[in-house]
Amino acid sequence: MTTFNLPDKLCITGGNLSENWSQFEQALSIYLIASGLDKADDERRIAILLNIIGEDGVKVYNSFRLEKKDLKYEQVIKRFQEYCNPKKNILYTRFMFYQRQQGADEPFDCFLTDLRKLVKECEFKSEDEAIRDRLVLGTSDMDTQKKLIVEGNSELDAVISKFRLAEIGRKHAEEVQGTSSKPIEVGKVLKGKSPRLIRCGWCGQQHEQNLQLCPARGKECTKCKKMNHFASVCRSKFVKTICQNEEHNTNSDEEFYCGSINKMILINKEL
């Protein structure tokens, strides 16, 4: 035996009653068609509606005080529509529509979806024109707005397409610029592992165990005038003693990096 999902009860007391009814009526219509009950007589379809709508919905139905004799299903639906959709304040609904602005970091499609929802209550002669105008005038994308105003009278689909393409272009540009402006970040995502950080004895800062990342590399110490370290970590009186028995070669990357660790250990012990 084939079974069908029953619609949820009509929510009378919570949320937007008009929207709740619209969703309930659609779900009920789908259920009746799917189950083959859409052609049933009026009495049976009314009984199905009242069986599904819930206790609060039945109380609303009883308040209609409809004559049961020769009662039509469409009459009941109409009364629920009138109850759930009271007279609209058009000026207020349009005010809310006109006030809608796109947030600074709000995705374009979220802005568009909300405008499509708001416009349903406004009863404009042309919803497409109203949405188009609000997209252009309420956008946070000033560059695309300027281009569309210069064009003057683009259709809604063209406006949507241009805003979406502009948003995609900005995201791609941010990704490219972010990668090129911070090349040292690439190593942090290799193999999905976090980099090993050290407290560098040459610059006094924390960075990866990589000679190329040391900001002191190629810099002259303002204290001792030697290369490849900062004055803030300069230990010239100790380095001089240590270097008496050791040839100091700054041309070798390996000696510079590995030697720095050994020398700093000796320095720390002497301190």
Side-chain angles (χ1 to χ4, degrees):
M1 179 179 178
T2 304
T3 58
F4 303 94
N5 294 324
L6 291 175
D8 293 331
K9 296 178 181 179
L10 173 63
C11 182
I12 299 289
T13 57
N16 185 317
L17 180 56
S18 176
E19 187 174 329
N20 292 348
W21 166 254
S22 179
Q23 293 175 353
F24 173 81
E25 184 183 10
Q26 181 184 33
L28 177 62
S29 176
I30 292 171
Y31 170 75
L32 290 175
I33 294 171
S35 61
L37 295 170
D38 57 314
K39 303 300 182 182
D41 58 57
D42 290 295
E43 184 178 8
R44 186 175 185 188
R45 282 187 290 162
I46 292 172
I48 293 171
L49 183 154
L50 296 177
N51 181 63
I52 294 173
I53 202 169
E55 185 178 344
D56 290 337
V58 172
K59 289 179 180 178
V60 171
Y61 169 78
N62 291 335
S63 71
F64 298 156
R65 300 185 180 280
L66 297 170
E67 292 290 337
K68 302 297 188 293
K69 186 178 180 181
D70 297 326
L71 184 61
K72 301 297 183 183
Y73 177 78
E74 286 73 18
Q75 288 179 266
V76 177
I77 292 295
K78 184 178 180 181
R79 292 299 299 270
F80 270 109
Q81 288 173 339
E82 292 172 351
Y83 178 88
C84 297
N85 294 284
K87 188 175 181 180
K88 301 173 184 175
N89 186 330
I90 297 299
L91 288 178
Y92 178 74
T93 57
R94 291 186 179 184
F95 168 78
M96 295 301 294
F97 177 80
Y98 290 135
Q99 286 291 105
R100 184 64 167 90
Q101 299 278 347
Q102 183 182 14
D105 298 319
E106 181 182 15
F108 171 76
D109 280 328
C110 291
F111 181 42
L112 174 60
T113 298
D114 202 32
L115 287 179
R116 290 192 187 280
K117 180 179 177 181
L118 289 171
V119 80
K120 295 297 182 184
E121 305 296 322
C122 296
E123 297 185 6
F124 289 117
K125 290 183 179 179
S126 173
E127 290 185 359
D128 282 1
E129 285 188 5
I131 293 172
R132 178 203 62 187
D133 294 351
R134 197 68 224 135
L135 286 174
V136 175
L137 300 178
T139 183
S140 60
D141 181 355
M142 297 296 101
D143 291 336
T144 306
Q145 181 192 66
K146 182 178 179 180
K147 294 175 183 177
L148 288 167
I149 290 175
V150 170
E151 291 177 9
N153 193 29
S154 299
E155 296 294 329
L156 175 61
D157 288 344
V159 169
I160 291 173
S161 177
K162 288 176 182 178
F163 275 121
R164 281 176 174 161
L165 288 173
E167 184 175 74
I168 292 170
R170 283 195 303 274
K171 289 179 180 178
H172 288 173
E174 288 170 3
E175 290 175 6
V176 171
Q177 292 168 1
T179 302
S180 60
S181 63
K182 296 182 180 180
I184 64 172
E185 301 290 338
V186 175
K188 294 186 178 183
V189 297
L190 292 179
K191 299 181 181 179
K193 296 181 180 179
S194 299
R196 180 179 173 223
L197 301 180
I198 63 166
R199 174 67 67 178
C200 180
W202 296 96
C203 65
Q205 302 174 19
Q206 257 197 346
H207 58 71
E208 292 183 44
Q209 191 172 342
N210 184 335
L211 175 62
Q212 302 300 324
L213 302 182
C214 180
R217 179 172 170 79
K219 303 295 191 304
E220 181 183 280
C221 174
T222 57
K223 183 176 179 181
C224 70
K225 304 303 180 183
K226 293 183 179 180
M227 300 296 292
N228 301 319
H229 68 276
F230 291 148
S232 61
V233 293
C234 182
R235 297 288 188 272
S236 56
K237 60 180 180 179
F238 299 116
V239 172
K240 183 177 181 180
T241 303
I242 294 167
C243 288
Q244 286 177 351
N245 299 320
E246 180 182 352
E247 182 179 354
H248 184 64
N249 182 358
T250 60
N251 293 325
S252 169
D253 286 350
E254 277 189 323
E255 290 181 354
F256 171 83
Y257 190 76
C258 297
S260 68
I261 298 175
N262 293 331
K263 289 175 184 178
M264 288 307 296
I265 292 173
L266 291 173
I267 289 169
N268 291 333
K269 286 183 177 179
E270 188 167 345
L271 289 174

